[in-house]
mmCIF file with all atom_site columns, all heavy atoms in Angstrom:
data_model
loop_
_atom_site.group_PDB
_atom_site.id
_atom_site.type_symbol
_atom_site.label_atom_id
_atom_site.label_alt_id
_atom_site.label_comp_id
_atom_site.label_asym_id
_atom_site.label_entity_id
_atom_site.label_seq_id
_atom_site.pdbx_PDB_ins_code
_atom_site.Cartn_x
_atom_site.Cartn_y
_atom_site.Cartn_z
_atom_site.occupancy
_atom_site.B_iso_or_equiv
_atom_site.pdbx_formal_charge
_atom_site.auth_seq_id
_atom_site.auth_comp_id
_atom_site.auth_asym_id
_atom_site.auth_atom_id
_atom_site.pdbx_PDB_model_num
ATOM 1   N N   . MET A 1 1   ? -4.779  26.583  1.345   1.00 0.00 ? 1   MET A N   1
ATOM 2   C CA  . MET A 1 1   ? -4.603  26.602  2.850   1.00 0.00 ? 1   MET A CA  1
ATOM 3   C C   . MET A 1 1   ? -5.915  26.609  3.582   1.00 0.00 ? 1   MET A C   1
ATOM 4   O O   . MET A 1 1   ? -6.188  25.921  4.610   1.00 0.00 ? 1   MET A O   1
ATOM 5   C CB  . MET A 1 1   ? -3.805  27.819  3.301   1.00 0.00 ? 1   MET A CB  1
ATOM 6   C CG  . MET A 1 1   ? -3.446  27.750  4.785   1.00 0.00 ? 1   MET A CG  1
ATOM 7   S SD  . MET A 1 1   ? -2.676  26.289  5.429   1.00 0.00 ? 1   MET A SD  1
ATOM 8   C CE  . MET A 1 1   ? -1.042  26.534  4.714   1.00 0.00 ? 1   MET A CE  1
ATOM 9   N N   . LEU A 1 26  ? 5.116   13.052  31.501  1.00 0.00 ? 26  LEU A N   1
ATOM 10  C CA  . LEU A 1 26  ? 5.122   11.854  32.327  1.00 0.00 ? 26  LEU A CA  1
ATOM 11  C C   . LEU A 1 26  ? 6.619   11.417  32.353  1.00 0.00 ? 26  LEU A C   1
ATOM 12  O O   . LEU A 1 26  ? 6.949   10.750  33.502  1.00 0.00 ? 26  LEU A O   1
ATOM 13  C CB  . LEU A 1 26  ? 4.261   10.883  31.716  1.00 0.00 ? 26  LEU A CB  1
ATOM 14  C CG  . LEU A 1 26  ? 2.748   11.134  31.913  1.00 0.00 ? 26  LEU A CG  1
ATOM 15  C CD1 . LEU A 1 26  ? 2.014   9.942   31.308  1.00 0.00 ? 26  LEU A CD1 1
ATOM 16  C CD2 . LEU A 1 26  ? 2.351   11.144  33.263  1.00 0.00 ? 26  LEU A CD2 1
ATOM 17  N N   . ALA A 1 35  ? 9.162   20.631  22.057  1.00 0.00 ? 35  ALA A N   1
ATOM 18  C CA  . ALA A 1 35  ? 8.533   21.194  20.895  1.00 0.00 ? 35  ALA A CA  1
ATOM 19  C C   . ALA A 1 35  ? 9.611   21.702  19.916  1.00 0.00 ? 35  ALA A C   1
ATOM 20  O O   . ALA A 1 35  ? 9.483   21.646  18.772  1.00 0.00 ? 35  ALA A O   1
ATOM 21  C CB  . ALA A 1 35  ? 7.557   22.320  21.326  1.00 0.00 ? 35  ALA A CB  1
ATOM 22  N N   . ALA A 1 48  ? 16.553  18.117  7.878   1.00 0.00 ? 48  ALA A N   1
ATOM 23  C CA  . ALA A 1 48  ? 15.292  17.685  8.433   1.00 0.00 ? 48  ALA A CA  1
ATOM 24  C C   . ALA A 1 48  ? 14.247  17.710  7.290   1.00 0.00 ? 48  ALA A C   1
ATOM 25  O O   . ALA A 1 48  ? 13.411  16.856  7.231   1.00 0.00 ? 48  ALA A O   1
ATOM 26  C CB  . ALA A 1 48  ? 14.828  18.579  9.522   1.00 0.00 ? 48  ALA A CB  1
ATOM 27  N N   . CYS A 1 62  ? -0.303  7.576   -1.348  1.00 0.00 ? 62  CYS A N   1
ATOM 28  C CA  . CYS A 1 62  ? -1.238  6.573   -0.786  1.00 0.00 ? 62  CYS A CA  1
ATOM 29  C C   . CYS A 1 62  ? -2.511  7.253   -0.234  1.00 0.00 ? 62  CYS A C   1
ATOM 30  O O   . CYS A 1 62  ? -3.683  6.683   -0.320  1.00 0.00 ? 62  CYS A O   1
ATOM 31  C CB  . CYS A 1 62  ? -0.506  5.731   0.325   1.00 0.00 ? 62  CYS A CB  1
ATOM 32  S SG  . CYS A 1 62  ? 0.679   4.617   -0.316  1.00 0.00 ? 62  CYS A SG  1
ATOM 33  N N   . GLY A 1 81  ? -0.427  -2.913  0.358   1.00 0.00 ? 81  GLY A N   1
ATOM 34  C CA  . GLY A 1 81  ? -0.117  -4.058  -0.523  1.00 0.00 ? 81  GLY A CA  1
ATOM 35  C C   . GLY A 1 81  ? 0.145   -3.438  -1.905  1.00 0.00 ? 81  GLY A C   1
ATOM 36  O O   . GLY A 1 81  ? 1.068   -3.901  -2.549  1.00 0.00 ? 81  GLY A O   1
ATOM 37  N N   . ALA A 1 108 ? 2.803   1.761   -11.419 1.00 0.00 ? 108 ALA A N   1
ATOM 38  C CA  . ALA A 1 108 ? 1.409   2.153   -11.488 1.00 0.00 ? 108 ALA A CA  1
ATOM 39  C C   . ALA A 1 108 ? 0.457   0.911   -11.991 1.00 0.00 ? 108 ALA A C   1
ATOM 40  O O   . ALA A 1 108 ? -0.704  0.764   -11.457 1.00 0.00 ? 108 ALA A O   1
ATOM 41  C CB  . ALA A 1 108 ? 1.098   3.277   -12.287 1.00 0.00 ? 108 ALA A CB  1
ATOM 42  N N   . PHE A 1 116 ? -7.381  -4.342  -8.838  1.00 0.00 ? 116 PHE A N   1
ATOM 43  C CA  . PHE A 1 116 ? -8.359  -4.958  -9.761  1.00 0.00 ? 116 PHE A CA  1
ATOM 44  C C   . PHE A 1 116 ? -8.941  -6.174  -9.225  1.00 0.00 ? 116 PHE A C   1
ATOM 45  O O   . PHE A 1 116 ? -10.246 -6.343  -9.291  1.00 0.00 ? 116 PHE A O   1
ATOM 46  C CB  . PHE A 1 116 ? -7.842  -5.137  -11.137 1.00 0.00 ? 116 PHE A CB  1
ATOM 47  C CG  . PHE A 1 116 ? -8.772  -5.684  -12.073 1.00 0.00 ? 116 PHE A CG  1
ATOM 48  C CD1 . PHE A 1 116 ? -9.732  -4.771  -12.726 1.00 0.00 ? 116 PHE A CD1 1
ATOM 49  C CD2 . PHE A 1 116 ? -8.831  -7.025  -12.557 1.00 0.00 ? 116 PHE A CD2 1
ATOM 50  C CE1 . PHE A 1 116 ? -10.587 -5.235  -13.614 1.00 0.00 ? 116 PHE A CE1 1
ATOM 51  C CE2 . PHE A 1 116 ? -9.711  -7.501  -13.349 1.00 0.00 ? 116 PHE A CE2 1
ATOM 52  C CZ  . PHE A 1 116 ? -10.654 -6.618  -13.949 1.00 0.00 ? 116 PHE A CZ  1
ATOM 53  N N   . THR A 1 123 ? -17.550 -6.058  -6.652  1.00 0.00 ? 123 THR A N   1
ATOM 54  C CA  . THR A 1 123 ? -18.687 -5.620  -7.570  1.00 0.00 ? 123 THR A CA  1
ATOM 55  C C   . THR A 1 123 ? -19.420 -6.761  -8.143  1.00 0.00 ? 123 THR A C   1
ATOM 56  O O   . THR A 1 123 ? -20.681 -6.717  -8.392  1.00 0.00 ? 123 THR A O   1
ATOM 57  C CB  . THR A 1 123 ? -18.246 -4.689  -8.669  1.00 0.00 ? 123 THR A CB  1
ATOM 58  O OG1 . THR A 1 123 ? -17.154 -5.409  -9.413  1.00 0.00 ? 123 THR A OG1 1
ATOM 59  C CG2 . THR A 1 123 ? -17.657 -3.448  -8.132  1.00 0.00 ? 123 THR A CG2 1
ATOM 60  N N   . LEU A 1 131 ? -12.243 -6.563  3.889   1.00 0.00 ? 131 LEU A N   1
ATOM 61  C CA  . LEU A 1 131 ? -11.531 -7.902  4.071   1.00 0.00 ? 131 LEU A CA  1
ATOM 62  C C   . LEU A 1 131 ? -10.618 -8.234  3.076   1.00 0.00 ? 131 LEU A C   1
ATOM 63  O O   . LEU A 1 131 ? -9.492  -8.713  3.170   1.00 0.00 ? 131 LEU A O   1
ATOM 64  C CB  . LEU A 1 131 ? -12.688 -8.902  4.326   1.00 0.00 ? 131 LEU A CB  1
ATOM 65  C CG  . LEU A 1 131 ? -13.561 -8.795  5.575   1.00 0.00 ? 131 LEU A CG  1
ATOM 66  C CD1 . LEU A 1 131 ? -14.509 -9.858  5.643   1.00 0.00 ? 131 LEU A CD1 1
ATOM 67  C CD2 . LEU A 1 131 ? -12.817 -8.700  6.730   1.00 0.00 ? 131 LEU A CD2 1
ATOM 68  N N   . MET A 1 135 ? -6.550  -8.822  3.191   1.00 0.00 ? 135 MET A N   1
ATOM 69  C CA  . MET A 1 135 ? -5.930  -9.947  2.848   1.00 0.00 ? 135 MET A CA  1
ATOM 70  C C   . MET A 1 135 ? -4.798  -9.797  1.754   1.00 0.00 ? 135 MET A C   1
ATOM 71  O O   . MET A 1 135 ? -3.802  -10.491 1.710   1.00 0.00 ? 135 MET A O   1
ATOM 72  C CB  . MET A 1 135 ? -6.942  -11.022 2.417   1.00 0.00 ? 135 MET A CB  1
ATOM 73  C CG  . MET A 1 135 ? -7.848  -11.461 3.519   1.00 0.00 ? 135 MET A CG  1
ATOM 74  S SD  . MET A 1 135 ? -6.994  -12.176 4.906   1.00 0.00 ? 135 MET A SD  1
ATOM 75  C CE  . MET A 1 135 ? -6.443  -13.725 4.219   1.00 0.00 ? 135 MET A CE  1
ATOM 76  N N   . SER A 1 151 ? 13.997  -14.503 -7.734  1.00 0.00 ? 151 SER A N   1
ATOM 77  C CA  . SER A 1 151 ? 14.429  -13.804 -9.009  1.00 0.00 ? 151 SER A CA  1
ATOM 78  C C   . SER A 1 151 ? 14.878  -12.415 -8.697  1.00 0.00 ? 151 SER A C   1
ATOM 79  O O   . SER A 1 151 ? 15.700  -11.965 -9.589  1.00 0.00 ? 151 SER A O   1
ATOM 80  C CB  . SER A 1 151 ? 13.272  -13.917 -9.938  1.00 0.00 ? 151 SER A CB  1
ATOM 81  O OG  . SER A 1 151 ? 12.139  -13.191 -9.378  1.00 0.00 ? 151 SER A OG  1
ATOM 82  N N   . ALA A 1 168 ? 20.358  5.644   -14.637 1.00 0.00 ? 168 ALA A N   1
ATOM 83  C CA  . ALA A 1 168 ? 19.297  6.108   -15.500 1.00 0.00 ? 168 ALA A CA  1
ATOM 84  C C   . ALA A 1 168 ? 17.895  5.591   -15.220 1.00 0.00 ? 168 ALA A C   1
ATOM 85  O O   . ALA A 1 168 ? 17.010  6.069   -15.656 1.00 0.00 ? 168 ALA A O   1
ATOM 86  C CB  . ALA A 1 168 ? 19.561  5.418   -16.873 1.00 0.00 ? 168 ALA A CB  1
ATOM 87  N N   . TRP A 1 174 ? 17.303  17.243  -6.883  1.00 0.00 ? 174 TRP A N   1
ATOM 88  C CA  . TRP A 1 174 ? 17.818  18.601  -6.873  1.00 0.00 ? 174 TRP A CA  1
ATOM 89  C C   . TRP A 1 174 ? 18.452  18.676  -5.383  1.00 0.00 ? 174 TRP A C   1
ATOM 90  O O   . TRP A 1 174 ? 17.870  18.472  -4.406  1.00 0.00 ? 174 TRP A O   1
ATOM 91  C CB  . TRP A 1 174 ? 16.716  19.689  -6.899  1.00 0.00 ? 174 TRP A CB  1
ATOM 92  C CG  . TRP A 1 174 ? 16.013  19.661  -8.215  1.00 0.00 ? 174 TRP A CG  1
ATOM 93  C CD1 . TRP A 1 174 ? 16.534  20.275  -9.335  1.00 0.00 ? 174 TRP A CD1 1
ATOM 94  C CD2 . TRP A 1 174 ? 14.814  19.001  -8.620  1.00 0.00 ? 174 TRP A CD2 1
ATOM 95  N NE1 . TRP A 1 174 ? 15.655  20.011  -10.419 1.00 0.00 ? 174 TRP A NE1 1
ATOM 96  C CE2 . TRP A 1 174 ? 14.731  19.318  -9.998  1.00 0.00 ? 174 TRP A CE2 1
ATOM 97  C CE3 . TRP A 1 174 ? 13.918  18.142  -7.989  1.00 0.00 ? 174 TRP A CE3 1
ATOM 98  C CZ2 . TRP A 1 174 ? 13.542  18.675  -10.692 1.00 0.00 ? 174 TRP A CZ2 1
ATOM 99  C CZ3 . TRP A 1 174 ? 12.839  17.768  -8.631  1.00 0.00 ? 174 TRP A CZ3 1
ATOM 100 C CH2 . TRP A 1 174 ? 12.648  18.002  -10.005 1.00 0.00 ? 174 TRP A CH2 1
ATOM 101 N N   . ARG A 1 178 ? 24.354  17.810  1.391   1.00 0.00 ? 178 ARG A N   1
ATOM 102 C CA  . ARG A 1 178 ? 25.561  16.944  0.905   1.00 0.00 ? 178 ARG A CA  1
ATOM 103 C C   . ARG A 1 178 ? 25.205  15.595  0.811   1.00 0.00 ? 178 ARG A C   1
ATOM 104 O O   . ARG A 1 178 ? 25.804  14.845  -0.025  1.00 0.00 ? 178 ARG A O   1
ATOM 105 C CB  . ARG A 1 178 ? 26.789  17.200  1.746   1.00 0.00 ? 178 ARG A CB  1
ATOM 106 C CG  . ARG A 1 178 ? 27.411  18.588  1.681   1.00 0.00 ? 178 ARG A CG  1
ATOM 107 C CD  . ARG A 1 178 ? 28.754  18.740  2.462   1.00 0.00 ? 178 ARG A CD  1
ATOM 108 N NE  . ARG A 1 178 ? 29.248  19.995  2.304   1.00 0.00 ? 178 ARG A NE  1
ATOM 109 C CZ  . ARG A 1 178 ? 30.406  20.370  3.003   1.00 0.00 ? 178 ARG A CZ  1
ATOM 110 N NH1 . ARG A 1 178 ? 31.045  19.453  3.812   1.00 0.00 ? 178 ARG A NH1 1
ATOM 111 N NH2 . ARG A 1 178 ? 30.898  21.601  2.861   1.00 0.00 ? 178 ARG A NH2 1
ATOM 112 N N   . ARG A 1 204 ? -17.623 15.108  -15.243 1.00 0.00 ? 204 ARG A N   1
ATOM 113 C CA  . ARG A 1 204 ? -18.836 14.273  -15.149 1.00 0.00 ? 204 ARG A CA  1
ATOM 114 C C   . ARG A 1 204 ? -18.550 12.973  -14.490 1.00 0.00 ? 204 ARG A C   1
ATOM 115 O O   . ARG A 1 204 ? -19.299 12.425  -13.668 1.00 0.00 ? 204 ARG A O   1
ATOM 116 C CB  . ARG A 1 204 ? -19.525 14.038  -16.525 1.00 0.00 ? 204 ARG A CB  1
ATOM 117 C CG  . ARG A 1 204 ? -20.690 13.238  -16.494 1.00 0.00 ? 204 ARG A CG  1
ATOM 118 C CD  . ARG A 1 204 ? -21.368 13.233  -17.872 1.00 0.00 ? 204 ARG A CD  1
ATOM 119 N NE  . ARG A 1 204 ? -22.632 12.576  -17.944 1.00 0.00 ? 204 ARG A NE  1
ATOM 120 C CZ  . ARG A 1 204 ? -22.584 11.234  -18.345 1.00 0.00 ? 204 ARG A CZ  1
ATOM 121 N NH1 . ARG A 1 204 ? -21.491 10.664  -18.768 1.00 0.00 ? 204 ARG A NH1 1
ATOM 122 N NH2 . ARG A 1 204 ? -23.767 10.662  -18.364 1.00 0.00 ? 204 ARG A NH2 1
ATOM 123 N N   . ALA A 1 217 ? -27.993 3.178   -5.921  1.00 0.00 ? 217 ALA A N   1
ATOM 124 C CA  . ALA A 1 217 ? -29.271 2.600   -6.476  1.00 0.00 ? 217 ALA A CA  1
ATOM 125 C C   . ALA A 1 217 ? -29.829 3.660   -7.500  1.00 0.00 ? 217 ALA A C   1
ATOM 126 O O   . ALA A 1 217 ? -30.448 3.221   -8.500  1.00 0.00 ? 217 ALA A O   1
ATOM 127 C CB  . ALA A 1 217 ? -30.353 2.435   -5.424  1.00 0.00 ? 217 ALA A CB  1
ATOM 128 N N   . LEU A 1 229 ? -17.846 1.558   -12.891 1.00 0.00 ? 229 LEU A N   1
ATOM 129 C CA  . LEU A 1 229 ? -17.245 2.632   -12.205 1.00 0.00 ? 229 LEU A CA  1
ATOM 130 C C   . LEU A 1 229 ? -16.494 2.194   -10.985 1.00 0.00 ? 229 LEU A C   1
ATOM 131 O O   . LEU A 1 229 ? -15.499 2.777   -10.691 1.00 0.00 ? 229 LEU A O   1
ATOM 132 C CB  . LEU A 1 229 ? -18.345 3.725   -12.027 1.00 0.00 ? 229 LEU A CB  1
ATOM 133 C CG  . LEU A 1 229 ? -18.785 4.508   -13.143 1.00 0.00 ? 229 LEU A CG  1
ATOM 134 C CD1 . LEU A 1 229 ? -20.033 5.401   -12.758 1.00 0.00 ? 229 LEU A CD1 1
ATOM 135 C CD2 . LEU A 1 229 ? -17.637 5.429   -13.637 1.00 0.00 ? 229 LEU A CD2 1
ATOM 136 N N   . LEU A 1 232 ? -13.303 0.560   -11.941 1.00 0.00 ? 232 LEU A N   1
ATOM 137 C CA  . LEU A 1 232 ? -12.326 1.563   -12.489 1.00 0.00 ? 232 LEU A CA  1
ATOM 138 C C   . LEU A 1 232 ? -11.881 2.445   -11.360 1.00 0.00 ? 232 LEU A C   1
ATOM 139 O O   . LEU A 1 232 ? -10.649 2.790   -11.287 1.00 0.00 ? 232 LEU A O   1
ATOM 140 C CB  . LEU A 1 232 ? -12.951 2.448   -13.540 1.00 0.00 ? 232 LEU A CB  1
ATOM 141 C CG  . LEU A 1 232 ? -13.306 1.777   -14.922 1.00 0.00 ? 232 LEU A CG  1
ATOM 142 C CD1 . LEU A 1 232 ? -13.953 2.609   -15.851 1.00 0.00 ? 232 LEU A CD1 1
ATOM 143 C CD2 . LEU A 1 232 ? -12.059 1.174   -15.548 1.00 0.00 ? 232 LEU A CD2 1
ATOM 144 N N   . THR A 1 233 ? -12.634 2.847   -10.415 1.00 0.00 ? 233 THR A N   1
ATOM 145 C CA  . THR A 1 233 ? -12.204 3.752   -9.351  1.00 0.00 ? 233 THR A CA  1
ATOM 146 C C   . THR A 1 233 ? -11.242 2.999   -8.430  1.00 0.00 ? 233 THR A C   1
ATOM 147 O O   . THR A 1 233 ? -10.199 3.624   -8.023  1.00 0.00 ? 233 THR A O   1
ATOM 148 C CB  . THR A 1 233 ? -13.344 4.130   -8.478  1.00 0.00 ? 233 THR A CB  1
ATOM 149 O OG1 . THR A 1 233 ? -14.326 4.981   -9.356  1.00 0.00 ? 233 THR A OG1 1
ATOM 150 C CG2 . THR A 1 233 ? -13.049 5.124   -7.481  1.00 0.00 ? 233 THR A CG2 1
ATOM 151 N N   . ASP A 1 257 ? 14.095  -3.829  -0.477  1.00 0.00 ? 257 ASP A N   1
ATOM 152 C CA  . ASP A 1 257 ? 14.122  -4.819  0.569   1.00 0.00 ? 257 ASP A CA  1
ATOM 153 C C   . ASP A 1 257 ? 12.831  -4.777  1.341   1.00 0.00 ? 257 ASP A C   1
ATOM 154 O O   . ASP A 1 257 ? 11.966  -4.030  0.992   1.00 0.00 ? 257 ASP A O   1
ATOM 155 C CB  . ASP A 1 257 ? 15.410  -4.670  1.563   1.00 0.00 ? 257 ASP A CB  1
ATOM 156 C CG  . ASP A 1 257 ? 15.486  -3.274  2.088   1.00 0.00 ? 257 ASP A CG  1
ATOM 157 O OD1 . ASP A 1 257 ? 14.373  -2.755  2.435   1.00 0.00 ? 257 ASP A OD1 1
ATOM 158 O OD2 . ASP A 1 257 ? 16.534  -2.674  2.377   1.00 0.00 ? 257 ASP A OD2 1
ATOM 159 N N   . GLN A 1 262 ? 6.707   -0.195  5.511   1.00 0.00 ? 262 GLN A N   1
ATOM 160 C CA  . GLN A 1 262 ? 6.855   0.610   6.810   1.00 0.00 ? 262 GLN A CA  1
ATOM 161 C C   . GLN A 1 262 ? 5.452   1.162   7.305   1.00 0.00 ? 262 GLN A C   1
ATOM 162 O O   . GLN A 1 262 ? 5.494   1.819   8.229   1.00 0.00 ? 262 GLN A O   1
ATOM 163 C CB  . GLN A 1 262 ? 7.753   1.634   6.708   1.00 0.00 ? 262 GLN A CB  1
ATOM 164 C CG  . GLN A 1 262 ? 9.277   1.015   6.352   1.00 0.00 ? 262 GLN A CG  1
ATOM 165 C CD  . GLN A 1 262 ? 10.348  2.181   6.416   1.00 0.00 ? 262 GLN A CD  1
ATOM 166 O OE1 . GLN A 1 262 ? 9.948   3.309   6.228   1.00 0.00 ? 262 GLN A OE1 1
ATOM 167 N NE2 . GLN A 1 262 ? 11.506  1.710   6.698   1.00 0.00 ? 262 GLN A NE2 1
ATOM 168 N N   . GLY A 1 263 ? 4.333   0.723   6.623   1.00 0.00 ? 263 GLY A N   1
ATOM 169 C CA  . GLY A 1 263 ? 3.064   1.143   7.146   1.00 0.00 ? 263 GLY A CA  1
ATOM 170 C C   . GLY A 1 263 ? 2.499   2.400   6.493   1.00 0.00 ? 263 GLY A C   1
ATOM 171 O O   . GLY A 1 263 ? 1.525   2.943   6.921   1.00 0.00 ? 263 GLY A O   1
ATOM 172 N N   . GLY A 1 265 ? 0.960   2.882   3.735   1.00 0.00 ? 265 GLY A N   1
ATOM 173 C CA  . GLY A 1 265 ? -0.458  2.581   3.246   1.00 0.00 ? 265 GLY A CA  1
ATOM 174 C C   . GLY A 1 265 ? -1.426  2.610   4.326   1.00 0.00 ? 265 GLY A C   1
ATOM 175 O O   . GLY A 1 265 ? -2.602  3.036   4.092   1.00 0.00 ? 265 GLY A O   1
ATOM 176 N N   . THR A 1 285 ? -1.730  18.055  4.877   1.00 0.00 ? 285 THR A N   1
ATOM 177 C CA  . THR A 1 285 ? -1.862  17.044  5.995   1.00 0.00 ? 285 THR A CA  1
ATOM 178 C C   . THR A 1 285 ? -0.839  15.938  5.916   1.00 0.00 ? 285 THR A C   1
ATOM 179 O O   . THR A 1 285 ? -0.228  15.442  6.942   1.00 0.00 ? 285 THR A O   1
ATOM 180 C CB  . THR A 1 285 ? -3.304  16.331  5.817   1.00 0.00 ? 285 THR A CB  1
ATOM 181 O OG1 . THR A 1 285 ? -4.281  17.375  5.861   1.00 0.00 ? 285 THR A OG1 1
ATOM 182 C CG2 . THR A 1 285 ? -3.600  15.487  7.069   1.00 0.00 ? 285 THR A CG2 1
ATOM 183 N N   . TYR A 1 326 ? -16.247 12.820  14.266  1.00 0.00 ? 326 TYR A N   1
ATOM 184 C CA  . TYR A 1 326 ? -16.783 14.209  13.891  1.00 0.00 ? 326 TYR A CA  1
ATOM 185 C C   . TYR A 1 326 ? -17.689 14.013  12.625  1.00 0.00 ? 326 TYR A C   1
ATOM 186 O O   . TYR A 1 326 ? -18.743 14.684  12.599  1.00 0.00 ? 326 TYR A O   1
ATOM 187 C CB  . TYR A 1 326 ? -15.509 14.983  13.494  1.00 0.00 ? 326 TYR A CB  1
ATOM 188 C CG  . TYR A 1 326 ? -15.901 16.254  12.770  1.00 0.00 ? 326 TYR A CG  1
ATOM 189 C CD1 . TYR A 1 326 ? -16.330 17.390  13.446  1.00 0.00 ? 326 TYR A CD1 1
ATOM 190 C CD2 . TYR A 1 326 ? -15.759 16.413  11.423  1.00 0.00 ? 326 TYR A CD2 1
ATOM 191 C CE1 . TYR A 1 326 ? -16.699 18.526  12.807  1.00 0.00 ? 326 TYR A CE1 1
ATOM 192 C CE2 . TYR A 1 326 ? -16.213 17.534  10.673  1.00 0.00 ? 326 TYR A CE2 1
ATOM 193 C CZ  . TYR A 1 326 ? -16.610 18.541  11.434  1.00 0.00 ? 326 TYR A CZ  1
ATOM 194 O OH  . TYR A 1 326 ? -16.958 19.823  10.886  1.00 0.00 ? 326 TYR A OH  1
ATOM 195 N N   . ARG A 1 332 ? -25.361 13.405  11.590  1.00 0.00 ? 332 ARG A N   1
ATOM 196 C CA  . ARG A 1 332 ? -26.511 13.359  12.275  1.00 0.00 ? 332 ARG A CA  1
ATOM 197 C C   . ARG A 1 332 ? -27.176 14.773  12.390  1.00 0.00 ? 332 ARG A C   1
ATOM 198 O O   . ARG A 1 332 ? -28.353 14.938  12.411  1.00 0.00 ? 332 ARG A O   1
ATOM 199 C CB  . ARG A 1 332 ? -26.207 12.824  13.768  1.00 0.00 ? 332 ARG A CB  1
ATOM 200 C CG  . ARG A 1 332 ? -25.904 11.345  13.714  1.00 0.00 ? 332 ARG A CG  1
ATOM 201 C CD  . ARG A 1 332 ? -25.719 10.801  15.132  1.00 0.00 ? 332 ARG A CD  1
ATOM 202 N NE  . ARG A 1 332 ? -25.375 9.399   15.101  1.00 0.00 ? 332 ARG A NE  1
ATOM 203 C CZ  . ARG A 1 332 ? -25.045 8.762   16.246  1.00 0.00 ? 332 ARG A CZ  1
ATOM 204 N NH1 . ARG A 1 332 ? -24.942 9.344   17.464  1.00 0.00 ? 332 ARG A NH1 1
ATOM 205 N NH2 . ARG A 1 332 ? -24.700 7.491   16.260  1.00 0.00 ? 332 ARG A NH2 1
ATOM 206 N N   . GLN A 1 334 ? -26.850 17.229  10.212  1.00 0.00 ? 334 GLN A N   1
ATOM 207 C CA  . GLN A 1 334 ? -27.468 17.422  9.089   1.00 0.00 ? 334 GLN A CA  1
ATOM 208 C C   . GLN A 1 334 ? -28.849 16.877  8.808   1.00 0.00 ? 334 GLN A C   1
ATOM 209 O O   . GLN A 1 334 ? -29.832 17.374  8.204   1.00 0.00 ? 334 GLN A O   1
ATOM 210 C CB  . GLN A 1 334 ? -26.517 17.144  7.837   1.00 0.00 ? 334 GLN A CB  1
ATOM 211 C CG  . GLN A 1 334 ? -25.281 18.012  7.759   1.00 0.00 ? 334 GLN A CG  1
ATOM 212 C CD  . GLN A 1 334 ? -24.337 17.673  6.650   1.00 0.00 ? 334 GLN A CD  1
ATOM 213 O OE1 . GLN A 1 334 ? -24.682 16.648  5.957   1.00 0.00 ? 334 GLN A OE1 1
ATOM 214 N NE2 . GLN A 1 334 ? -23.216 18.385  6.607   1.00 0.00 ? 334 GLN A NE2 1
ATOM 215 N N   . GLY A 1 337 ? -31.181 18.536  11.290  1.00 0.00 ? 337 GLY A N   1
ATOM 216 C CA  . GLY A 1 337 ? -31.211 19.938  11.217  1.00 0.00 ? 337 GLY A CA  1
ATOM 217 C C   . GLY A 1 337 ? -32.256 20.343  10.287  1.00 0.00 ? 337 GLY A C   1
ATOM 218 O O   . GLY A 1 337 ? -32.660 21.511  10.143  1.00 0.00 ? 337 GLY A O   1
#
Side-chain angles (χ1 to χ4, degrees):
M1 181 60 70
L26 289 179
C62 286
F116 179 76
T123 54
L131 298 178
M135 293 300 295
S151 59
W174 296 279
R178 292 182 178 180
R204 182 171 179 267
L229 281 171
L232 290 175
T233 301
D257 56 33
Q262 293 184 342
T285 306
Y326 172 78
R332 290 179 180 178
Q334 290 177 359

